[in-house]
Amino acid sequence: MMRVFYLTFCLLFFNIHNAHAYLDPGTGSIILQALIGFIAAIGATVGLYWQKFKFLIKKIFTKNKKQN
Amino acid sequence: MNFELGSFRDPAGKVFYEEKKVFRYVTTQGQKKYEYIKSNGILNDSIKDGYLIETREIKDEKIKSQISNCKYILQHQLIDFISYPYEWSFNQLKDAALHHLNYQIYLLEKNAILIDGSAYNIQFIGTKPIFIDVLSIGEYRDGMYWYGHKQFCENFLNPLLLSSKKEIYFNNWFKGNLEGIFTSDLNSILNFIDKLSPTIFLQVFMLNKLENKTILDPNKSSKKLKKLRNFSKKSYMSLLYQMKKTIKKLEPYKRKSVWENYSKQNTYTKEEEILKIKTVKDFVLKNNFNLIADVGCNDGLYSFASLESGCKKVVGFDFDLNVVDRAYLEAKNKNHSFLPLYLDASNPSSNIGWNETERKGLKQRFNFDGLIALAIEHHLAISKNIPLDQTIDWLTSFAPKGLIEFVPKEDETVQSMIILKGDIFPNYTEENFIKFLGNKTKIISSTKVSSSGRKLFEYARI
C-alpha cells in the first residue's frame, strides 16, 4: 500500500526527465507541430471569416451612406 | 584510408581521409537520396549558392574496391579547423542556426529537406557558416513533418534561449551533454514571465509537456501519432519561417566580463602596443603561414595584424565568451578569415561522445603552421598554477613555429595575480622560461616590448 502511495506521490510531484522510453524520442515534437498546424489552420479560418465579416459591415455602411 | 570516427550514425555513408583530403562514400542505403539531389540539380545549386560545402563525385575504383557496399565516392573541400558548437559564441551559434533554417527553406522550395537538426553539421570557413553533411539532405514527400525539429531545438534554439534569457553561457553545458540542452532542463530554468512569450510557451513549455506525456504513456502517444493528419508543406514552411523570425530576434543576455575592454584598457602604452604589433607582423611576413592559432586572441587585434601580413587564415582562442563574440562580429563585418573560438586553456575540449572518439579533443584537431600566444602564458603558470615547463610544452604543441610572450614577475599584472596567493612560484623566471623553451625548440629571437620587461620569444621546433 505504501509502495502504491509512494509511486503516486512521485508521479504527481516530480518532473519526469528524459528516459529511454520505447517510443521515438521525436514523438512530442511531431505532436507539437500538428498542434501548431491545427492552431494556424483555425487562425486562418477565423481570419478569413473576420475579413468577410468586415467586408459585409463595410458594405452595409457604404450602402446606408449612399442612401442618405 | 582513415575513417572519421564521428561518422557512424548514418548508414547512408561515411567520411574518410586519405592524403590530407576528405572523402565520403555513399552506400546502397544512401544511393537513392544521393541520386535524387544530384539528378534534380539540388546538389550543385546548393554549392553554387553557398549553402553546402564544395563536393564533387570522383571515380576511384581502387578506393571503391576497398569499401564494401560503396556506390559513390565524393570528395569535399577540406576545412582547416573543425570546430564544435560548444566552442562557438552566441552569435556564431545564432548564425549557424539561421544558416540551417535558410538552407531548409531553400531545400523545401526544391522539394527536399534536411533529415536532422544537428549543429555539428555546420562548420565555419572564416566567419561563413557552411553545411557539410550531403547525406543529411533527403527528398520531401507530401505530408512530412519536420523530423529534425526536436534536435534543432536542443542543438540551437535551447542554448540560444538559455544564454539570451538567463545569465548563463550555453558552452560548458553543451559540451557536457553533447546533444545540446534538453527542453526539460530549459523548462525548469525559465520562469513564468519567460514562458509568457509565445515562442517559449510553444517550443519549450508545451514541447516539454508533450515529451513528458509520451514518456508517461507511450502507448497513448503512439496511437495519437498514428492518427495524425498529414502536415502541409505550407505549415512546414511557416514553422521554419517562424523559427527563423524567433532566432533572428534573440540577443545575448547583457553581462560584463573581465576581458571585454582589454585591448583598450591594458597595462601597456600605445608605443608598446605598436612595437608588439610590428613584432607579430614581422614574424608572420617572413613565414608565409597558411593557418595561425592565436591563443588568448581577445578581440583579435593581433589576428587581424597577422592577416594583414599575409597569413591566409587565423583561428583564435579565448576564455572570455564576450570578447570571442565581439571578435567574431568584427571579423564578419570586415570579412576577415578569422574564426575566434571559446577555449578554457586549463580545461580544453577533450575527446567525447560515443567510444570517446565521436568529437575530437583540441589537440587531435591541431593543423596550424604558426602560433601567436601573447599575454597568455602567465595566466596559465600563475593563475592556474600550471608548471612553467608544462605551459611552454602545451603552447609549443600548437604549431612548429611561434611567438610567445613572457610576462615577468615584476609586471603589474603578475603582481596583482599573486596578491592573495603570494609568490609561490620560485621557478617562474625568465631564465627558466628560456631554458624550458630551449629544451624543445630553437629560440630564434627575443624582443623586449614593455618597460616592465615583457618579451616576445620566437621559436622553431627542432
Side-chain angles (χ1 to χ4, degrees), chain B residues 47-59:
Chain B
I47 297 165
K48 190 172 68 99
D49 293 332
Y51 289 106
L52 185 67
I53 190 88
E54 276 186 35
T55 302
R56 65 190 181 96
E57 202 179 302
I58 59 153
K59 306 266 180 240

Side-chain angles (χ1 to χ4, degrees), chain B residues 314-327:
Chain B
V314 178
V315 176
F317 297 97
D318 206 283
F319 176 68
D320 189 318
L321 275 154
N322 282 19
V323 297
V324 171
D325 206 37
R326 207 174 64 204

